[in-house]
Amino acid sequence: MNESNPFPEHLPGRVVVLGCDGFIGHHLARSLLAIPDLEVVGWDRCRTRIGGFESHPRFTFRFADIASGRSQLGEDVARSQAVVNLAALCNPSLYGSHTLDVIRSNFTDVEPVVRLCAESGTKLVHLSSCEVFGRTLRSWVPRDRVALPEESDILDEDLTPFLLGPLSSTRWSYACAKQLAERLIEGWGRERGLAWTIVRPFNFIGPGMDYLPGRDGEGVPRVLACFMKALIDREPLQLVDGGTARRTFLHISEAVEALVRILERPESTSRRVIHLGNAANETDIRGLAMSMRSIWARLRKDASILELPLLSVPSEEFYGPGYDDSDRRIPGMKNAHAILGWTPILSLEETLNLTLGDYHLRYPEFE
Ligand code: UGA
């Protein structure tokens, strides 16, 4: 029993983390290794973030693709009590430009993992996405004809429908693959006895998220890293279509705490969908840019940062054709509260202070 969780059903002895070098994966693996006696087998085809614990005596790293290392994966799954599947391409800049890779990583590669878990009786904790909801119902109906209450924007774990756009909106390739993976997992549970939990993350942020273009990677990362790159390099912050889309943000430390609670409760979380987010931390993207800019000016002790412009950019120019966007994502949190006894407490400002504070230390002004 650990302090964060007074009522664990039982702790697993060994957990497989697929995608252990990713943003969520490396934070989770590190936290799991802090639990006495727990063994972690991490899989990834990259090894950029695991340096801090790669040599830990209870950590085994498989530097491999889950699609090519199938027999080893089968052995690891059979010897473990739980698999956490975080292996996925989840960056919106890829959904239209690398659609086939996105569908492969978010659906095709999931199927063998599901099968191996079902065959071994190993619990599968699958990280899906808040993006399965697409856009809110209110965003699809003409406002002058149908007046839906604002509460209808809250995305219920078990009741809210999935509303994606047409085929020409290639943005939704990822959401569609995630939806199908959820249905596959649910079907294996009902027809073949798979024990599963589906987790939908709602915009986790924190240290080590994505990459900074030109420093640790190339391309367009998610919004936090885009804005960090602009702030560090003193460039304008770009607001896609004016930055009116709204998001709720959750600090990665709170997300990992909830994921550990899920692993500690294999029975009560089985065949349940759990949203991990913070409904109180909502902002539009313009507001996010303004908050990050002022926190960064304070951290760097430089008021001139407050003058960095916020520029609206058409989405077609920023992401290419086929981009569409979720207008709003407020997580319904009833399952996380009831099953995990988990409620996030860090405000948006605290979450950003912690996150930007880390970037300030890792990327000093004069490198
Ligand atoms: C992404 C993934 O598609 C989801 O699966 C994932 O769950 C989610 O991130 C997450 O982190 O949880 P999204 O929130 O749209 O979804 O990703 P971002 O790239 O972070 O974009 C957020 C908003 O910021 C969008 O409206 C985007 O257009 C905007 N944006 C992005 C900007 O205005 N400027 C930028 O420089 C980058």
Side-chain angles (χ1 to χ4, degrees):
M1 189 182 290
N2 70 29
E3 278 178 13
S4 68
N5 177 14
F7 308 113
E9 289 158 12
H10 51 82
L11 286 164
R14 187 182 290 107
V15 174
V16 176
V17 178
L18 302 176
C20 70
D21 192 62
F23 167 52
I24 304 173
H26 85 287
H27 284 289
L28 175 64
R30 200 175 30 228
S31 290
L32 291 175
L33 288 167
I35 298 174
D37 302 327
L38 184 68
E39 289 187 30
V40 177
V41 182
W43 280 67
D44 212 300
R45 52 186 189 177
C46 301
R47 61 188 331 155
T48 56
R49 294 182 175 94
I50 58 170
F53 56 84
E54 191 174 349
S55 57
H56 192 289
R58 284 183 281 110
F59 181 68
T60 305
F61 182 51
R62 310 273 187 227
F63 190 27
D65 199 298
I66 54 176
S68 53
R70 196 72 58 83
S71 71
Q72 179 66 64
L73 182 61
E75 274 179 43
D76 287 345
V77 171
R79 291 171 63 237
S80 303
Q81 286 71 46
V83 172
V84 183
N85 186 18
L86 289 147
L89 294 178
C90 57
N91 182 332
S93 66
L94 303 174
Y95 304 165
S97 63
H98 293 75
T99 304
L100 301 183
D101 289 338
V102 167
I103 292 172
R104 179 188 47 72
S105 84
N106 287 289
F107 173 67
T108 318
D109 288 353
V110 176
E111 188 164 23
V113 176
V114 174
R115 185 181 292 272
L116 289 173
C117 286
E119 285 166 359
S120 321
T122 303
K123 170 82 184 281
L124 174 62
V125 178
H126 180 73
L127 276 280
S128 181
S129 172
C130 55
E131 196 154 321
V132 292
F133 292 109
R135 285 172 32 190
T136 60
L137 182 55
R138 275 204 311 158
S139 77
W140 293 106
V141 298
R143 275 164 204 221
D144 53 334
R145 306 247 304 269
V146 187
L148 286 173
E150 204 178 325
E151 305 87 82
S152 71
D153 289 355
I154 298 171
L155 303 169
D156 185 275
E157 298 92 325
D158 307 311
L159 301 173
T160 303
F162 299 160
L163 300 169
L164 305 185
L167 200 55
S168 55
S169 294
T170 52
R171 159 67 187 253
W172 304 119
S173 61
Y174 166 84
C176 192
K178 283 290 198 197
Q179 285 184 1
L180 193 54
E182 287 195 8
R183 296 209 183 269
L184 182 81
I185 290 165
E186 189 280 330
W188 272 87
R190 214 166 7 88
E191 296 184 11
R192 310 276 176 89
L194 172 74
W196 58 264
T197 303
I198 287 173
V199 177
R200 298 192 188 125
F202 282 66
N203 292 79
F204 301 170
I205 55 174
M209 186 173 185
D210 295 348
Y211 54 87
L212 295 183
R215 278 193 166 76
D216 346 283
E218 292 306 330
V220 180
R222 283 173 291 179
V223 67
L224 182 99
C226 285
F227 288 172
M228 281 318 313
K229 189 252 185 287
L231 290 168
I232 291 169
D233 291 344
R234 292 169 177 269
E235 293 166 354
L237 284 75
Q238 303 194 68
L239 304 178
V240 174
D241 294 333
T244 56
R246 303 181 74 78
R247 295 289 186 272
T248 53
F249 292 94
L250 176 72
H251 194 264
I252 185 70
S253 60
E254 298 193 295
V256 164
E257 187 201 327
L259 288 170
V260 172
R261 287 186 184 213
I262 289 170
L263 290 168
E264 289 171 334
R265 291 164 164 78
E267 276 93 38
S268 54
T269 57
S270 194
R271 303 193 191 178
R272 303 301 300 268
V273 176
I274 297 182
H275 287 174
L276 298 183
N278 188 337
N281 283 352
E282 192 184 24
T283 176
D284 63 15
I285 299 302
R286 174 176 285 276
L288 176 74
M290 288 166 59
S291 299
M292 288 179 65
R293 190 176 58 179
S294 61
I295 292 170
W296 195 246
R298 183 170 42 73
L299 286 167
R300 292 298 212 216
K301 298 187 173 54
D302 182 349
S304 72
I305 287 170
L306 297 171
E307 309 300 319
L308 288 175
L310 307 183
L311 288 185
S312 181
V313 197
S315 51
E316 173 134 354
E317 201 178 288
F318 193 82
Y319 288 113
Y323 185 74
D324 191 358
D325 204 356
S326 300
D327 52 312
R328 195 174 193 199
R329 293 177 183 160
I330 305 179
M333 301 296 301
K334 67 178 194 305
N335 291 349
H337 293 316
I339 305 169
L340 307 180
W342 175 84
T343 309
I345 54 170
L346 291 174
S347 67
L348 182 59
E349 196 180 344
E350 289 165 329
T351 298
L352 291 174
N353 275 331
L354 283 171
T355 304
L356 271 64
D358 175 83
Y359 277 90
H360 173 56
L361 295 176
R362 271 191 305 133
Y363 298 93
E365 189 138 27
F366 305 105
E367 290 171 282

